[in-house]
Amino acid sequence: MKVSVPVALGAALVLTGGAVTGLRAQAPATFVVESPTMATGRFMPRDYSPDGRNLSPPLTWSGLPPGTRQLAVISQDYGAGRPPPWVHWIIYNIPSSAQGLPEGIPFDADHPMPTEIAGAVQGNNGWGLSAYRGPAPPAGSVHHYHFAVFALDEEFDLPPGLDRGELLQAIEGHVIGQGDMVTLYERQPMSERPG
Amino acid sequence: MTLPPKDPRPAISRRDLLKTAGAAGAAALIPDAVGAVTEEAPALAPLLAGPMTNLTASETEILSAMVDRLIPTDELGSGALDAGVLQYIDRALSEAESDAAEAYRSGLAALDQYSRYSRGGPFIDLSTVDQDSALIDVQIGAATGAGAGFVGSSASFFNMVKSHTWQGMFGDPKYGGNVDFAGWDLINYPGIRLAVSPEDQRSLEADQLERARRSAYDFGLFE
C-alpha cells in the first residue's frame, strides 16, 4: 500500500518543532514523504520496533524543490525525551539522486550503505548509537513518530555521529525544502498478545 | 521489500560453532579431555554439557552465543570463546559471583524468549545480524517492555554479562579465563612484570618487548 499524504507547510513546521532553526528566512518548499509499508496517522509494523527486528523503515519522497543537492532525515518522538524530542534515527549526506531510503539500513558501520544512498552516514540517536532504533514507548501509551526529511541546497560531507543539534546547526541556512511523515506505535508485550 | 544485509560469512549453524568453540575452550582447561575430544568427535556434546557446574546445557548454548557476539573471533585475534570466558563465568557463579546465578538464569531465559518474540526464533539460531540487533535492544533497555521476563531493565542483564565477559577475557588466567593469554594478546598487553628496566621501556615503545606470559600468582607474592 502506498499512501500519498502531502503535508502542509504550517503542519510541517509544527511537526518538526525545533528544526525550524535550520530553515532559511524564506519559507522552504514542502514535498511528499511516503513509505511503502507505513502510512501517516497509522500504526507502524512491529518490525520497525524492538518488538520485531527493529529494522529502519523504508521511506520515499517526491517533489523535491529545484536545486536540491542533498538530503537529511531525522526520526523523532516529541512525546519523549528530557527535553523532547527523543531522537530515534538520524541519517544525512544522502545524495539527491536517491528517491528514498530502503528498509533495513545497516546498524553496523562496517556494513556498506546501499548503493543508491552511497555516501550517507548515520548520526547519534537518543541512545548515543549511530543507528536506527525504533519505538519503545511505555506499554499502554500511543506515541507519534515523525520522519522529517530535509532538502538541502549544498552537498555536505559531514562526519558520522552528529547528534540532532549538531546536524541542524550544520545545515542551518541550507534547508530549501521539507517533508514529514507521522506514524504511531504502541507496544504490546508478549503477555498481552493473543496466541 | 528490501531485506537487511545478511551476515556475509558462510552460513554456519550456531550450534556447530558453539560445539567447536566450546570443545576448544574446555579442552584447554581440562588437559585430560583433549584426547577424547580430538580423537572422537561424537564426544563433543557431552563435553559441552560436562564441564559446566552451574549453567545448564541450554543456558550454556545461549550464553556462548551471546559472548561470541560480544567478542567474536575474527581477523584481529581470538574471541571470548577461545579465551574460556564461558568457563570463567560458570566458575565465578560458584565463587565470587554466586549472587549472580539467579540473574543469569532469568536473564538468559528472557533473552531467548525475547529473541523468539521479536526475531522469530531462539537466540542461538538467529543470524549474527539479528543476534547483534537483539543484543543492542537488550543493552539499551528497549527489550524490557516486551514482557520477555527480564528482571528490572534488560540493560542490567546485558551490563552484567558484558562485565563478566571482560573479566574473563582480560583478567588474570588464574581465575579460569584468558586461556593461553588470548585476551592479553588481543590487546597487545606485554604481561605482568615486577620491574620494568629502561631497556624494557625502549623495547615496549618499539613494540619489541617480549611478552611475559605469566599469571600474577606465578610470582608467589600474591598467594
Side-chain angles (χ1 to χ4, degrees):
Chain A
M1 178 178 62
K2 198 165 193 176
V3 181
S4 176
V5 185
V7 178
L9 172 61
L13 292 177
V14 170
L15 293 174
T16 52
V20 294
T21 57
L23 304 183
R24 287 176 154 182
Q26 184 181 359
T30 61
F31 58 88
V32 177
V33 177
E34 304 168 294
S35 172
T37 57
M38 304 188 300
T40 286
R42 305 278 181 85
F43 286 91
M44 68 170 74
R46 64 185 279 213
D47 257 352
Y48 304 141
S49 83
D51 294 328
R53 296 183 68 199
N54 218 343
L55 305 173
S56 67
L59 296 174
T60 60
W61 43 74
S62 57
L64 296 177
T68 299
R69 299 185 65 192
Q70 202 174 68
L71 296 127
V73 174
I74 300 178
S75 174
Q76 49 204 348
D77 172 7
Y78 285 95
R82 297 179 184 174
W86 184 263
V87 176
H88 289 265
W89 192 27
I90 300 178
I91 180 167
Y92 45 91
N93 293 356
I94 303 167
S96 60
S97 57
Q99 297 178 4
L101 297 174
E103 184 182 70
I105 299 295
F107 56 80
D108 183 343
D110 290 339
H111 287 180
M113 283 286 171
T115 52
E116 62 267 36
I117 59 165
V121 296
Q122 298 181 91
N124 280 359
N125 61 21
W127 289 281
L129 300 171
S130 294
Y132 173 83
R133 287 290 102 183
S141 65
V142 176
H143 280 227
H144 294 68
Y145 298 91
H146 298 249
F147 292 87
V149 182
F150 301 92
L152 311 175
D153 67 357
E154 187 167 318
E155 204 169 316
F156 291 94
D157 184 19
L158 299 171
L162 298 184
D163 65 23
R164 179 177 179 274
E166 291 168 334
L167 175 63
L168 292 177
Q169 186 176 17
I171 65 176
E172 186 170 6
H174 296 280
V175 178
I176 57 173
Q178 188 172 329
D180 202 342
M181 179 174 190
V182 186
T183 63
L184 312 176
Y185 194 73
E186 178 181 12
R187 293 199 89 164
Q188 195 171 7
M190 289 172 62
S191 56
E192 298 172 18
R193 190 175 287 273
Chain B
M1 182 179 289
T2 305
L3 293 174
K6 290 293 182 185
D7 182 5
R9 290 188 287 183
I12 299 172
S13 157
R14 304 299 293 162
R15 291 172 189 270
D16 292 343
L17 186 62
L18 170 70
K19 285 174 183 171
T20 305
L29 288 173
I30 308 171
D32 290 347
V34 170
V37 173
T38 53
E39 298 296 326
E40 298 181 33
L44 282 175
L47 181 66
L48 177 66
M52 298 300 159
T53 302
N54 290 288
L55 299 168
T56 66
S58 171
E59 291 165 351
T60 301
E61 287 188 323
I62 300 167
L63 184 60
S64 294
M66 182 175 177
V67 302
D68 189 37
R69 294 315 303 156
L70 294 179
I71 309 179
T73 300
D74 57 19
E75 68 279 6
L76 298 176
S78 301
L81 292 177
D82 302 317
V85 165
L86 201 59
Q87 289 76 7
Y88 165 82
I89 292 175
D90 184 64
R91 174 176 164 182
L93 294 178
S94 296
E95 300 174 355
E97 302 292 346
S98 57
D99 289 349
E102 187 48 43
Y104 267 88
R105 197 130 293 149
S106 63
L108 292 170
L111 172 61
D112 202 51
Q113 278 278 62
Y114 174 63
S115 300
R116 293 169 191 267
Y117 168 69
S118 64
R119 272 81 178 174
F123 183 74
I124 61 171
D125 286 343
L126 300 181
S127 69
T128 54
V129 170
D130 276 339
Q131 284 181 337
D132 288 350
S133 179
L135 287 176
I136 290 171
D137 289 334
V138 172
Q139 178 185 20
I140 65 176
T144 310
F150 286 105
V151 177
S153 171
S154 62
S156 299
F157 169 69
F158 180 90
N159 289 332
M160 175 183 71
V161 177
K162 177 185 162 188
S163 175
H164 291 159
T165 299
W166 266 222
Q167 291 172 14
M169 187 79 195
F170 304 112
D172 194 287
K174 165 82 173 180
Y175 300 104
N178 196 1
V179 171
D180 287 337
F181 305 91
W184 291 356
D185 284 347
L186 185 65
I187 58 173
N188 288 323
Y189 178 58
I192 296 170
R193 285 169 165 76
L194 295 183
V196 178
S197 67
E199 186 178 339
D200 287 342
Q201 186 65 35
R202 281 191 291 274
S203 297
L204 177 66
E205 290 168 1
D207 199 22
Q208 293 175 343
L209 182 63
E210 187 175 349
R211 290 175 185 170
R213 292 176 167 272
R214 300 178 72 181
S215 159
Y217 295 89
D218 292 338
F219 291 98
L221 300 173
F222 306 105
E223 291 289 2

